Amino acid sequence: MKISNETIIEMYEKMVKIRKFENRAMNLFAEGQVGGFVHLYIGEEAVATGVCASLRDDDYITSTHRGHGHILAKGGDMKYMMAELFGKESGYCKGKGGSMHIADATKGILGANGIVGAGHNIAVGAGLAAQYKGTDQVCACFFGDASTNQSTFHEGLNLASTWKLPVIFICENNGYGISVSQARHQNITDISQRAVSYNIPGITVDGNDVFAVFEAVQEAVARARKGQGPTLIECKTYRWRGHFEGDPTVYRPEGELEQWKKKDPIPRAEKYILDNQVMTQAEMDQLNAKIDAEVEEAVEFAQASKFPDVASAVLDVYTDIVEEGRTR
Amino acid sequence: MRELTYGQGIKEGMRIKMLENPDVFIFGEDVGLFGGCFGVTSGLFEEFGEKRVRDTPISEGAIIGAAVGAAAVGLRPIPELMFVDFATVGMDQLVNQAAKMRYMFGGKLKLPMVVRLPSGGGVAAAAQHSQSLEAWFTHVPGLKVVYPSNAQDAIGLMLTAIDDDNPVIYLENKTLYAVPGQVEDEVKPIPLGKANIKREGNDVTIITYGKQVYDSLKAAEMLEKDGIDAEVIDLRSLYPLDKEAIFESVKKTHKVVIVSEEAKRGSYAGELAAIIADECFYECDAPIKRVCALNTPIPFSGNLEAYVLPNADDVVEAVKSLF
């Protein structure tokens, strides 16, 4: 498949954006400027990027607890994301969601999700709505290897395949369900095998090769738009950080991380870009500098923003009921 | 006026909205071709077709989850789970997703969905098909909960619930499906949070909903013979709650008995008692009583089930204990 230079540059930019955003979030967490549970996507950038490059603005995604990459890849605004990590009023969720619950309905982002496996059926619902309304929208559903052991995975694939819904199930197999390695949590190596049970295509791709992910998803999206139903795509990848920031990662065998760092998706894309003269080194450097500035701008925006007024705590539980507040 | 059963009322409410709004659709276990386990959706499959009245696999998590996803992007789904007991299997989707998405996302999403959950005992369905779990739902911020007791209210509450932009848990009592009631020719939507005084009285306030409205009215008749004039309030909507109607009545009668079919421990009836104790204590001149099921699973054998569930005699006894 010939991928246009424009798409290649766009994907490269997205991956770098995610990497730089996540590195900055990591530092801010270490400095104590950002609290709570932060699950970083470093190392997995090619998956979200390759998937979302195949989607339109009006397509949907559901995400996971490790959602920053998905949201950035689908067009989420770094400023509002960073402000949300800080718990500020200007954040995507007005400080009510934090890292694990960022959503942007205007971009089709139906939310990061703190419950492992909860996104499968929400994605099925979004796909159902597209089919019901007769649009050709699709929904990409991101989830990890461990969530394929949840009943929701099987219920979702069963329903989506039975009703031929336009859902692309993207399994980010990063080798671990929190601390439990894949070999210790399921009796298969390739999760794409599970597609057989639902009589849908299941493929495994190198999740650290953004072009491979893109190509696989292109095909799945085309099928979905034509009403041919869902596809399960397993992207083999690896998370460089722990499950959450602060995780001592005692469960990793020595040398494993280093092996995976050699497969870092970003230098791989850079090599392709240079080899094929898509961009020059100088152009790439310029792009990197632009993204650095963008991340800093987001941090400054977040730092300068106000914390939400406590009175807002009782708002938005319902569309039409304001819950009782405290008298203090 | 005309006569409809409670089950027909539920159906009419859905049908009116389905005719009015193409975004309203029904899906769940056996709701289509089969017409619903209790026949509530019978005829709708034929009228609206498979697209809008869909049979699903037996996958409660997928049913609720798909409703959440569909509602989040603009449809108005009415999922049905056949028995409230099965909500346990779809509970993450209700509690962690449906109830919280709007709040977590800073008020930027609406989730208009009505979850139909047939509830209650009395049909020899034993422990896994007879529960009354309203306290689980009223406990969760983000959910609204209604529980009609008759055909007219079933229609009026359904009309409002479908138009509501929040997830509404619509509880139905399965012993009432065939109970006929008088229904206005054109039923108006009933605002959520508006109780109905079923019987006016001056001596004691009986607060109830669902099937226990009938038990309580029967008890009120029995009490009348003993010279006790009971007021019976049908809450209709458990959240939002019509506190005003409750407090007005308590200020008049100064005695309260709350009747529900739940296991008493941790019940919604307990929450009602706490609200009254908290906000209306000085108007009470007797303990606030709860008449509920026993704290056991619901047993199968008829005599055991009748023993475990509350009835009119229990209401009478509780009321009399206050005098």
Side-chain angles (χ1 to χ4, degrees):
Chain A
M1 181 191 280
K2 172 80 182 132
I3 306 174
S4 73
N5 283 359
E6 196 189 343
T7 303
I8 292 169
I9 295 168
E10 187 199 315
M11 290 201 287
Y12 174 66
E13 181 174 356
K14 283 271 164 66
M15 287 203 293
V16 175
K17 244 187 187 181
I18 297 169
R19 176 68 55 92
K20 289 183 186 292
F21 180 91
E22 293 294 66
N23 275 327
R24 196 68 175 91
M26 176 177 79
N27 294 334
L28 290 163
F29 183 86
E31 290 163 12
Q33 291 202 59
V34 163
F37 284 102
V38 176
H39 307 83
L40 299 178
Y41 199 64
I42 301 170
E44 305 184 30
E45 295 87 348
V47 181
T49 302
V51 171
C52 291
S54 298
L55 301 180
R56 297 192 311 238
D57 268 1
D58 67 340
D59 289 325
Y60 303 110
I61 64 163
T62 60
S63 172
T64 67
H65 54 284
R66 196 174 309 288
H68 304 168
H70 309 142
I71 292 154
L72 283 167
K74 189 67 173 60
D77 188 317
M78 224 184 238
K79 286 206 307 282
Y80 306 131
M81 287 176 67
M82 196 58 95
E84 191 58 37
L85 296 191
F86 275 75
K88 296 296 181 74
E89 189 185 25
S90 60
Y92 260 121
C93 314
K94 303 179 192 166
K96 282 178 175 152
S99 165
M100 270 190 285
H101 304 300
I102 298 175
D104 183 354
T106 65
K107 294 264 164 53
I109 301 166
L110 301 178
N113 206 312
I115 305 294
V116 169
H120 300 122
N121 291 305
I122 296 174
V124 166
L128 171 60
Q131 187 192 63
Y132 186 95
K133 291 181 192 161
T135 74
D136 68 345
Q137 290 162 290
V138 303
C139 182
C141 171
F142 291 100
F143 53 92
D145 47 296
S147 86
T148 65
N149 302 326
Q150 291 273 38
S151 62
T152 50
F153 168 81
H154 300 279
E155 291 186 37
L157 263 72
N158 182 59
L159 194 54
S161 60
T162 304
W163 287 355
K164 290 207 173 351
L165 299 179
V167 182
I168 299 99
F169 291 98
I170 306 292
C171 178
E172 301 178 316
N173 183 354
N174 67 16
Y176 288 92
I178 307 183
S179 69
V180 181
S181 65
Q182 191 194 355
R184 294 172 64 218
H185 76 59
Q186 53 191 195
N187 190 34
I188 52 173
T189 308
D190 290 340
I191 291 167
S192 58
Q193 284 183 320
R194 291 198 166 169
V196 174
S197 306
Y198 304 101
N199 194 20
I200 60 170
I203 41 178
T204 294
V205 297
D206 177 353
N208 281 19
D209 178 350
V210 72
F211 306 121
V213 174
F214 177 75
E215 282 180 16
V217 176
Q218 282 278 303
E219 201 182 321
V221 167
R223 276 173 38 77
R225 291 206 203 285
K226 280 189 284 192
Q228 293 171 357
T231 304
L232 172 62
I233 300 175
E234 175 193 21
C235 304
K236 299 230 195 239
T237 185
Y238 194 80
R239 70 167 143 76
W240 289 13
R241 302 293 299 169
H243 171 65
F244 53 88
E245 285 309 282
D247 168 3
T249 66
V250 292
Y251 46 84
R252 283 205 227 266
E254 210 173 318
E256 187 179 74
L257 175 60
E258 288 64 34
Q259 280 307 314
W260 275 95
K261 280 189 171 177
K262 288 182 194 153
K263 293 189 255 183
D264 185 342
I266 294 177
R268 282 171 74 177
E270 283 171 345
K271 183 171 183 313
Y272 179 93
I273 286 168
L274 289 172
D275 288 352
N276 292 278
Q277 295 168 340
V278 179
M279 292 171 94
T280 63
Q281 184 63 50
E283 283 167 339
M284 281 200 295
D285 292 345
Q286 213 175 3
L287 186 60
N288 273 267
K290 190 191 94 176
I291 295 167
D292 281 331
E294 207 181 315
V295 173
E296 279 326 296
E297 206 180 304
V299 174
E300 282 161 26
F301 173 78
Q303 285 168 333
S305 295
K306 288 186 305 185
F307 282 106
D309 187 323
V310 292
S312 73
V314 294
L315 303 178
D316 292 327
V317 184
Y318 299 91
T319 56
D320 54 354
I321 299 173
V322 176
E323 290 296 341
E324 214 171 289
R326 293 199 185 280
T327 46
R328 63 170 153 83
Chain B
M1 296 294 272
R2 59 205 160 109
E3 194 177 274
L4 281 186
T5 65
Y6 179 77
Q8 287 168 332
I10 296 166
K11 174 162 69 182
E12 178 163 311
M14 294 190 286
R15 185 173 174 272
I16 290 170
K17 285 293 164 191
M18 287 178 78
L19 288 170
E20 200 178 287
N21 185 347
D23 290 342
V24 179
F25 71 112
I26 294 172
F27 63 111
E29 293 157 0
D30 308 292
V31 296
L33 201 54
F34 188 61
C37 183
F38 299 101
V40 173
T41 49
S42 65
L44 295 180
F45 181 83
E46 290 74 12
E47 182 174 1
F48 293 99
E50 196 167 8
K51 180 183 168 194
R52 298 184 69 192
V53 186
R54 282 181 191 235
D55 287 314
T56 63
I58 301 172
S59 297
E60 287 81 7
I63 295 168
I64 303 295
V68 170
V73 301
L75 296 184
R76 303 188 93 84
I78 311 175
E80 196 220 273
L81 291 193
M82 196 182 281
F83 288 88
V84 73
D85 315 70
F86 304 168
T88 54
V89 189
M91 213 57 181
D92 166 63
Q93 302 288 334
L94 273 180
V95 175
N96 290 322
Q97 314 301 328
K100 293 178 175 54
M101 267 170 88
R102 178 175 177 79
Y103 188 81
M104 288 191 304
F105 300 163
K108 289 177 187 163
L109 269 188
K110 287 192 278 195
L111 282 178
M113 54 191 272
V114 180
V115 186
R116 288 185 47 224
L117 299 171
S119 300
V123 295
Q128 297 171 340
H129 294 74
S130 299
Q131 293 171 85
S132 293
L133 298 175
E134 46 269 31
W136 288 24
F137 307 113
T138 53
H139 180 66
V140 179
L143 301 177
K144 294 186 179 180
V145 184
V146 300
Y147 202 147
S149 68
N150 59 74
Q152 167 100 4
D153 289 354
I155 301 171
L157 290 170
M158 183 60 86
L159 296 177
T160 313
I162 293 172
D163 276 346
D164 203 290
D165 282 333
N166 303 280
V168 180
I169 306 296
Y170 188 99
L171 300 169
E172 304 168 8
N173 187 284
K174 53 178 105 68
T175 65
L176 299 181
Y177 283 127
V179 173
Q182 288 298 306
V183 171
E184 287 162 9
D185 291 334
E186 199 180 325
V187 180
K188 290 191 185 66
I190 297 169
L192 306 192
K194 201 87 195 88
N196 189 16
I197 314 286
K198 297 293 279 191
R199 183 187 199 278
E200 290 192 18
N202 291 307
D203 299 335
V204 60
T205 299
I206 301 174
I207 303 168
T208 188
Y209 51 88
K211 174 180 177 284
Q212 279 61 48
V213 170
Y214 300 87
D215 295 335
S216 299
L217 288 170
K218 190 172 160 201
E221 274 175 41
M222 290 154 77
L223 288 161
E224 197 178 336
K225 292 183 189 124
D226 293 320
I228 296 172
D229 183 18
E231 179 145 304
V232 177
I233 300 179
D234 177 359
L235 291 177
R236 303 196 288 198
S237 163
L238 309 188
Y239 193 81
L241 173 66
D242 192 348
K243 284 195 204 177
E244 208 179 317
I246 294 172
F247 297 159
E248 278 302 307
S249 181
V250 176
K251 280 175 193 163
K252 179 171 70 174
T253 65
H254 310 291
K255 289 181 176 58
V256 184
V257 172
I258 300 156
V259 189
S260 81
E261 203 181 302
E262 314 161 272
K264 189 186 257 183
R265 188 170 63 231
S267 60
Y268 179 67
E271 172 64 11
L272 291 170
I275 289 170
I276 296 163
D278 196 354
E279 300 180 43
C280 210
F281 180 76
Y282 296 108
E283 294 292 342
C284 299
D285 65 10
I288 300 163
K289 284 285 176 193
R290 285 176 296 159
V291 176
C292 297
L294 302 181
N295 291 323
T296 67
I298 306 298
F300 168 67
S301 196
N303 64 332
L304 293 178
E305 185 176 27
Y307 179 73
V308 165
L309 297 179
N311 65 22
D313 292 332
D314 300 316
V315 180
V316 169
E317 189 187 314
V319 169
K320 284 190 174 169
S321 76
L322 304 179
F323 289 88

